[in-house]
Amino acid sequence: MQYFINVILPIPLEKLFTYSISETEAHFLLPGMRVAVPFGKSKIYTGLVYTIHTEPPTVYEAKEIHQILDDYPIVNKVQLKHWEWIAGYYMCTLGEVFRSAVPSAFLLESETLIIKNERIVFDDSELQDDEFLVYDALCHQSSLKVYEVGAIIDRKNVLPVLNRLLLKNIIVLKEEIYEQYKPKLVRHVQLGKAYIDEKNLEALLASLSRAPKQSQVVLALFQLQATTKKPINITDLELSSGGSKAVIKSLVDKGILEEYLVKTDRVSYEGNAENESLKSLNTYQQSALEAILRCFEKNKVTLLHGVTSSGKTEVYVDLIEKCINSGNQALYLLPEIALTTQLIARLQEYFGEKVAVYHSKYSVHERIEVWNNVLEKRTKAQIVIGARSALFLPFSKLGLVIVDEEHEGSFKQFDPAPRYHARDAAIVLAKLHECHILLGSATPSIESFYNVQLGKYGYAQIDRRYGNVLMPDMELVDLRDEIRKRRMKGHFSERLQEEIRNTLEVGEQGILFQNRRGYAPIVECTTCGHAPQCPNCDVSLTYHQNNKQLRCHYCGYHMALQESCMACGSATLDTKGFGTEQVEQELRAIFPEARVGRMDLDTTRGKFAYEKIITAFERQELDLLVGTQMLSKGLDFRNVNLVGIMNADALLNFPDYRAHERSFQLLTQVAGRAGRTKKRGRVIIQTYNPQHHILKQVASGDYANMYQDQLFEREEFKYPPINRIIKITFKHKDYNKLNEAADWFAKSIRNVWEGEVLGPEFPAIARIRNQFLKNIIIKIPMSGSLSKTKNSIKRIEKSFNAISHFKSVRVIYNVDHI
């Protein structure tokens, strides 16, 4: 009998591919194991076994697999079900989910090796110059890679040369697979077996009397062995003995010490063996916890609505403890990597080395280690904290999922596919594992609160801050009035300056929020009005003063700041608007004695950059911290008693149906950083429109009214949560072809779909990286069938792709667009 496997390939193809295997392989292989498979003419991909069966493919002849890469499945059945749901719901392929879900080192790469054909004899005088250079190199080394051939002949396109050599049978090609992950091996030492005997040991110490440094190393080894039961690594021995690596090496060479390698995790917890006991919950936290547990008994998704600094984390910790005490795993999802820095330290105080961290700032090797620890159900990964990608880890005993700051837009993946929402995908994951899920926020999303109102979600509330600290005192400052009375100093009103001065005098800290990085978004010539634009995108270049650059925040294009206008040659250049860099500079000028820091994408690029800034601010090494929205999310600073919002209007006037909801959430969250311990904090909100209803609701903390207003607007204009939305984006470098393609697609949708279809329309930024964009938005009522609509769209896409003129136009689906 012939056996076959269906494999998932990490490429955007709708169907699975079938390969033939032997009977022995069929009995060995299991779904979730990786195999290297040939695909196309000369490529080798890592495929994931999906099913094992005996039905040959009807359209093509099944190739044999190249090799088996695993001894056991690295992906479990629940994960595969979850991937299928993500692929189906978010209109992408299983291959795209596979590529996104697993660490890149699991997707082994193939490289073409060029080898000299030893079987033929020929006259090398017949070779052309470039052919001879390749042949000569192969005479001196066993194989070459494609890029090495390019370097030898000094050409980028090497394929014509290789093809000529192949036709002459002078070379052969071989696909070589490289395992990318390498475990970290640390060198350890122990006393040689010959010297374990007491007599031999005495003789050894006597013989080393003339070599004091070597004697010192051996004695230090004894001391370390007496104080610790762990294996002794070379670095520790070097430090405690004061000897060098050369001395240790000479002892190893003599056989006095034996060297061995120990596989260790790259990320490990180095804390106290005795963990802190959990903090006792106050009355409000306890009643919220009881409400959550009651909802969990009914197997409901539960929303914890707790005001900022109400102690939601303490409630989470209590639930996590209950979960791991029952032998289950817990997943704690956060929207921002910056948040994990503080939270890791807090959770490790309680749970020690049971906490693992998983996010994109960690290296591939570190992520693989966490993956393997979760897969093998090790205690060191019983609790996983991470950003949205942690959702894809191979949990097998998941007992609790916590989605903190569930309202955050950062939970939505935009590019590349799958364009999933981590909160919604986490709810499905919890259902598949039959475990509890808790969503937490001080400003819940309209969708989540709407589900609470419908009775779909359970609800628990904490409406008091921990320690009965009062909510911050919020004050709206009218910038028009301040400018008219000439009270402004740079972008700081007199009122904000006064509060900063008072804060610095009493030794407290302050946060200043401006949701735009760089120095200024526009550099404009005051003579002719020209502003430098990005050549690849329809945006002006942002000025970054620290490196005197104009930079595009969409494609990364940058150029040096010109001394004169590029259009008219005038030297009268001026900046419009302001970003975090400019706020930082003005602060240093107004308050020269203050220690000022900045936290935005430019200052947090390194792996430990978040940690350094947050730790410095926590230790009060900085007085004032300027930052973008990454400052607003759940960070807990004990000594901050002032928050200044530089310009609230930039958030409110954004062309998006969620702009007001997001403004309320962001301003409330930023304000929540103030006065989190004993003293009541102050929040100064600078605005040109202090009468705006959202700003009034923020100032009074009126979530209920904001929710009612927004829900009324969503009902009027058929936006979520009343309707579902699918956004279809078309991308192409040819403006006219894009227009034709988008119009054809929209017309086809209107022919089959009776509901509301908006567009095609150009977005606010209609060109990014030299690709024009056009959007169609489909609104689907909750009563309508989402799956039928998706199937209709997919059928239209097949017809669309069959038109040769539109083949190169890229179609991107974004389900539940936010």
Side-chain angles (χ1 to χ4, degrees):
M1 189 184 283
Q2 209 174 358
Y3 289 90
F4 299 91
I5 53 166
N6 286 352
V7 302
I8 304 166
L9 293 173
I11 45 179
L13 293 171
E14 291 288 339
K15 292 185 177 179
L16 302 176
F17 270 76
T18 306
Y19 290 86
S20 71
I21 52 171
S22 67
E23 190 175 344
T24 315
E25 288 169 337
H27 292 309
F28 177 77
L29 283 169
L30 292 167
M33 286 168 72
R34 292 174 306 148
V35 287
V37 292
F39 186 77
K41 285 182 181 177
S42 63
K43 284 185 179 173
I44 287 181
Y45 278 108
T46 299
L48 195 77
V49 178
Y50 184 76
T51 50
I52 300 150
H53 58 89
T54 54
E55 293 171 23
T58 52
V59 183
Y60 56 91
E61 193 179 332
K63 294 178 183 177
E64 289 182 3
I65 64 169
H66 191 277
Q67 68 186 90
I68 296 171
L69 300 172
D70 293 316
D71 295 326
Y72 52 85
I74 63 155
V75 171
N76 62 43
K77 287 176 184 175
V78 179
Q79 273 178 292
L80 287 170
K81 276 186 189 174
H82 192 226
W83 292 5
E84 282 172 353
W85 178 83
I86 288 173
Y89 188 82
Y90 292 104
M91 299 177 76
C92 63
T93 66
L94 209 50
E96 286 171 315
V97 183
F98 175 36
R99 179 168 280 282
S100 177
V102 302
S104 57
F106 278 147
L107 304 171
L108 306 183
E109 292 181 349
S110 70
E111 286 194 42
T112 303
L113 292 182
I114 295 107
I115 300 162
K116 190 173 76 162
N117 190 350
E118 302 288 356
R119 293 180 182 177
I120 66 157
V121 179
F122 64 96
D123 183 4
D124 57 20
S125 62
E126 293 172 10
L127 298 178
Q128 294 177 27
D129 290 348
D130 49 9
E131 293 171 1
F132 180 78
L133 286 170
V134 177
Y135 171 72
D136 188 49
L138 286 169
C139 289
H140 293 93
Q141 59 190 89
S142 58
S143 64
L144 290 171
K145 290 174 186 170
V146 174
Y147 73 89
E148 289 172 334
V149 174
I152 289 163
I153 63 173
D154 198 21
R155 272 169 63 179
K156 280 187 180 175
N157 186 9
V158 298
L159 289 177
V161 182
L162 295 177
N163 283 334
R164 290 202 304 269
L165 288 166
L166 278 168
L167 287 170
K168 292 173 183 175
N169 276 330
I170 292 161
I171 61 166
V172 288
L173 300 183
K174 184 187 174 188
E175 286 291 324
E176 195 63 38
I177 291 220
Y178 292 94
E179 177 76 68
Q180 289 185 338
Y181 171 66
K182 289 187 179 78
K184 185 182 178 184
L185 300 170
V186 177
R187 289 161 65 218
H188 287 69
V189 286
Q190 62 188 16
L191 198 63
K193 288 178 182 133
Y195 301 102
I196 294 169
D197 184 74
E198 272 187 49
K199 284 182 183 178
N200 293 348
L201 189 56
E202 280 175 30
L204 169 67
L205 292 170
S207 68
L208 290 178
S209 58
R210 290 182 184 177
K213 286 188 178 176
Q214 291 184 5
S215 178
Q216 228 172 336
V217 169
V218 173
L219 290 167
L221 181 66
F222 282 128
Q223 283 179 326
L224 284 170
Q225 282 176 334
T227 54
T228 178
K229 290 177 183 177
K230 290 179 184 176
I232 287 112
N233 68 47
I234 285 178
T235 312
D236 290 344
L237 183 58
E238 209 180 324
L239 288 169
S240 62
S241 68
S244 65
K245 281 191 173 74
V247 175
I248 297 168
K249 188 179 181 302
S250 66
L251 286 167
V252 170
D253 291 342
K254 287 177 184 177
I256 295 167
L257 299 182
E258 283 180 3
E259 190 178 275
Y260 61 102
L261 298 169
V262 174
K263 184 180 166 184
T264 56
D265 280 2
R266 286 171 170 82
V267 181
S268 57
Y269 168 68
E270 291 175 8
N272 301 323
E274 294 175 19
N275 301 325
E276 261 191 36
S277 55
L278 301 189
K279 286 183 184 176
S280 56
L281 303 182
N282 64 23
T283 317
Y284 306 104
Q285 289 170 318
Q286 190 60 45
S287 61
L289 178 65
E290 286 164 9
I292 291 164
L293 293 172
R294 283 196 296 273
C295 295
F296 281 177
E297 282 171 15
K298 297 173 189 171
N299 293 320
K300 275 190 173 184
V301 177
T302 307
L303 175 69
L304 173 58
H305 183 182
V307 297
T308 53
S309 192
S310 58
K312 293 188 289 294
T313 309
E314 267 33 79
V315 177
Y316 299 154
V317 165
D318 209 293
L319 289 166
I320 289 168
E321 191 190 33
K322 286 180 170 67
C323 169
I324 64 170
N325 284 348
S326 61
N328 291 325
Q329 297 164 313
L331 171 62
Y332 193 140
L333 287 180
L334 290 157
E336 284 278 357
I337 296 164
L339 277 178
T340 60
T341 304
Q342 270 198 337
L343 195 69
I344 293 159
R346 285 174 75 177
L347 288 189
Q348 281 178 340
E349 281 171 10
Y350 298 132
F351 302 112
E353 59 179 16
K354 289 178 184 174
V355 181
V357 186
Y358 191 85
H359 57 62
S360 60
K361 278 281 192 285
Y362 274 43
S363 73
V364 171
H365 297 301
E366 289 165 345
R367 277 182 275 165
I368 281 192
E369 279 163 8
V370 175
W371 183 285
N372 289 335
N373 289 339
V374 172
L375 184 67
E376 290 158 24
K377 300 190 278 273
R378 291 183 188 162
T379 52
K380 63 173 77 172
Q382 219 174 337
I383 304 161
V384 176
I385 308 175
R388 55 177 183 254
S389 57
L391 196 68
F392 294 114
L393 286 165
F395 297 102
S396 51
K397 292 186 75 181
L398 195 59
L400 175 69
V401 179
I402 293 168
V403 183
D404 200 10
E405 310 294 346
E406 63 82 26
H407 64 276
E408 270 299 330
S410 316
F411 276 127
K412 175 74 172 172
Q413 161 85 359
F414 288 103
D415 266 317
R419 292 169 182 83
Y420 66 99
H421 197 297
R423 178 196 62 212
D424 301 340
I427 291 168
V428 174
L429 182 71
K431 280 186 179 173
L432 291 172
H433 279 279
E434 298 180 354
C435 76
H436 303 310
I437 179 161
L438 179 67
L439 313 178
S441 178
T443 51
S445 63
I446 302 291
E447 285 88 342
S448 294
F449 203 73
Y450 181 71
N451 282 329
V452 168
Q453 303 297 311
L454 291 179
K456 278 173 75 178
Y457 288 4
Y459 183 67
Q461 189 177 15
I462 310 174
D463 55 6
R464 294 278 185 97
R465 282 186 147 191
Y466 194 82
N468 285 327
V469 178
L470 290 170
M471 293 299 288
D473 177 28
M474 297 202 196
E475 188 180 328
L476 297 170
V477 174
D478 189 346
L479 288 178
R480 287 174 304 182
D481 192 46
E482 293 283 306
I483 291 165
R484 186 171 55 81
K485 291 176 180 175
R486 297 187 178 178
R487 289 177 177 168
M488 296 291 286
K489 209 169 191 178
H491 293 94
F492 289 82
S493 61
E494 191 176 62
R495 188 77 193 85
L496 182 54
Q497 289 174 60
E498 184 189 326
E499 283 299 333
I500 293 171
R501 199 167 285 109
N502 293 343
T503 300
L504 293 172
E505 279 170 8
V506 293
E508 289 168 351
Q509 292 170 296
I511 285 175
L512 293 151
F513 171 76
Q514 170 61 8
N515 204 22
R516 184 185 285 279
R517 64 189 173 100
Y519 184 85
I522 298 170
V523 174
E524 189 180 75
C525 172
T526 55
T527 307
C528 71
H530 171 77
Q533 301 286 308
C534 173
N536 311 317
C537 312
D538 284 348
V539 288
S540 58
L541 295 171
T542 302
Y543 175 43
H544 288 251
Q545 197 181 49
N546 65 339
N547 49 13
K548 296 282 187 290
Q549 270 188 353
L550 294 171
R551 187 175 284 275
C552 173
H553 289 173
Y554 286 86
C555 71
Y557 171 84
H558 56 88
M559 60 183 279
L561 177 70
Q562 305 299 303
E563 289 182 8
S564 57
C565 174
M566 294 161 75
C568 71
S570 169
T572 55
L573 298 177
D574 193 17
T575 58
K576 302 277 180 190
F578 65 104
T580 48
E581 259 187 51
Q582 196 167 340
V583 175
E584 182 188 19
Q585 188 180 316
E586 286 178 2
L587 266 178
R588 291 183 193 278
I590 301 167
F591 305 102
E593 74 286 356
R595 295 164 299 172
V596 182
R598 175 162 56 93
M599 186 169 165
D600 55 27
L601 193 64
D602 298 319
T603 62
T604 56
R605 290 190 189 277
K607 182 174 176 180
F608 300 107
Y610 289 107
E611 206 173 319
K612 283 174 187 170
I613 296 168
I614 289 167
T615 307
F617 198 57
E618 272 182 332
R619 290 177 180 167
Q620 296 175 35
E621 291 165 14
L622 298 171
D623 300 314
L624 301 168
L625 187 59
V626 181
T628 54
Q629 63 179 357
M630 59 175 69
L631 270 178
S632 67
K633 300 162 188 175
L635 293 169
D636 185 20
F637 300 117
R638 307 274 89 186
N639 198 43
V640 172
N641 274 301
L642 173 70
V643 168
I645 291 157
M646 301 304 297
N647 183 6
D649 307 302
L651 302 167
L652 293 166
N653 302 327
F654 199 72
D656 183 11
Y657 73 94
R658 290 181 187 272
H660 286 177
E661 178 195 357
R662 283 199 180 134
S663 300
F664 180 90
Q665 289 165 342
L666 197 52
L667 294 173
T668 304
Q669 291 284 350
V670 175
R673 301 315 105 210
R676 294 173 71 91
T677 45
K678 293 174 185 176
K679 188 178 171 184
R680 190 183 189 188
R682 288 194 71 78
V683 179
I684 306 292
I685 301 173
Q686 296 189 154
T687 173
Y688 289 96
N689 189 4
Q691 301 309 311
H692 198 289
H693 66 281
I694 284 288
L695 295 179
K696 287 188 168 180
Q697 285 163 355
V698 169
S700 59
D702 191 354
Y703 178 84
N705 264 335
M706 184 280 294
Y707 170 77
Q708 291 298 338
D709 290 352
Q710 292 307 303
L711 195 64
F712 174 75
E713 282 186 19
R714 306 275 178 95
E715 283 170 345
E716 285 283 295
F717 299 105
K718 298 179 182 175
Y719 279 110
I722 309 304
N723 282 30
R724 285 197 180 97
I725 278 183
I726 297 176
K727 184 172 90 165
I728 307 171
T729 302
F730 300 88
K731 242 186 197 186
H732 200 266
K733 59 185 177 184
D734 186 321
Y735 178 85
N736 295 322
K737 190 181 277 191
L738 179 82
N739 278 333
E740 287 172 41
D743 289 343
W744 186 94
F745 211 104
K747 194 177 176 183
S748 302
I749 290 170
R750 288 190 173 99
N751 287 339
V752 297
W753 174 248
E754 293 174 3
E756 199 163 345
V757 179
L758 303 181
E761 271 301 324
F762 287 106
I765 297 161
R767 184 175 59 107
I768 294 174
R769 293 187 178 92
N770 279 324
Q771 299 266 332
F772 290 98
L773 309 171
K774 213 164 188 185
N775 296 331
I776 296 171
I777 288 177
I778 303 168
K779 295 179 181 177
I780 305 157
M782 285 298 180
S783 56
S785 170
L786 186 64
S787 58
K788 278 183 184 174
T789 311
K790 287 176 187 172
N791 291 338
S792 301
I793 294 166
K794 283 287 185 183
R795 280 198 296 274
I796 291 166
E797 190 192 359
K798 279 182 183 173
S799 306
F800 176 84
N801 289 333
I803 302 167
S804 59
H805 186 58
F806 298 152
K807 244 181 184 176
S808 57
V809 178
R810 194 166 163 223
V811 183
I812 297 163
Y813 299 111
N814 195 335
V815 181
D816 294 344
H817 162 66
I818 66 164

